Amino acid sequence: MAKKVAVKVNEDAIVWKEFTSAKGKKYEVGYLGEPDADQGGSAAPKGKTDFGISCNWPVGGNDWITTEASFKTTTAISRYKLHSNTDMSGEEVGGYAYRLEFSNEEHYDYDFFDQEGDSYRCNTFSNTDHFVRYNSEKPTIAYIKGS
């Protein structure tokens, strides 16, 4: 069973960039780092194993959820949380209803698919916390691809 851990993120340290989802909706990717860091380019090193995996990440609370060992081995995602932005205010919301946060341990280009079939790409260039803000009628993350 996944373990929940409460951790507070320094909101001022998140740099946000806007992108367009597979279905043409605006979404934002946030990361901890320099404002000029390239979030849009491919960061996956050669030789990585591409993957596609089903999951069930419904909108929940503000606690991090530690992923199961087999999931972490496949995806290099060690923890995540998906929450509604109703508990956030001002710039923390950015006009988006949902926020996915995750920590990775390998450099992957991730595509997160919600239950509407829309996808949100987050190219990780560092092993740290990453953030995705989006709007969806069915926000549960149901599938993840990595390359």
Side-chain angles (χ1 to χ4, degrees), residues 54-58 71 80 115 140-143:
S54 294
C55 61
N56 182 21
W57 292 1
F71 187 89
Y80 73 92
Q115 288 181 326
T140 295
I141 298 299
Y143 192 78

Side-chain angles (χ1 to χ4, degrees), residues 104-122:
N104 65 308
E105 296 182 354
E106 296 285 341
H107 303 269
Y108 269 102
D109 297 342
Y110 292 101
D111 289 295
F112 295 93
F113 292 80
D114 65 17
Q115 288 181 326
E116 286 185 320
D118 205 355
S119 64
Y120 315 96
R121 175 161 279 209
C122 183

Side-chain angles (χ1 to χ4, degrees), residues 10 12-16 30-39 125-126 128-131:
N10 178 2
D12 294 332
I14 301 173
V15 177
W16 294 99
Y31 56 94
L32 301 172
E34 297 298 319
D36 295 328
D38 179 19
Q39 185 68 14
F125 56 89
S126 61
T128 187
D129 296 335
H130 299 277
F131 312 88

Side-chain angles (χ1 to χ4, degrees), residues 26-92:
K26 297 292 183 195
Y27 72 99
E28 291 185 339
V29 171
Y31 56 94
L32 301 172
E34 297 298 319
D36 295 328
D38 179 19
Q39 185 68 14
S42 179
K46 295 182 184 199
K48 294 296 305 171
T49 302
D50 293 351
F51 69 86
I53 190 169
S54 294
C55 61
N56 182 21
W57 292 1
V59 175
N62 287 316
D63 291 334
W64 286 97
I65 299 172
T66 303
T67 59
E68 299 289 342
S70 62
F71 187 89
K72 180 179 164 185
T73 299
T74 300
T75 66
I77 297 174
S78 59
R79 64 184 186 159
Y80 73 92
K81 65 179 170 175
L82 175 58
H83 57 93
S84 168
N85 269 333
T86 58
D87 59 342
M88 313 283 279
S89 62
E91 299 241 350
E92 297 173 358

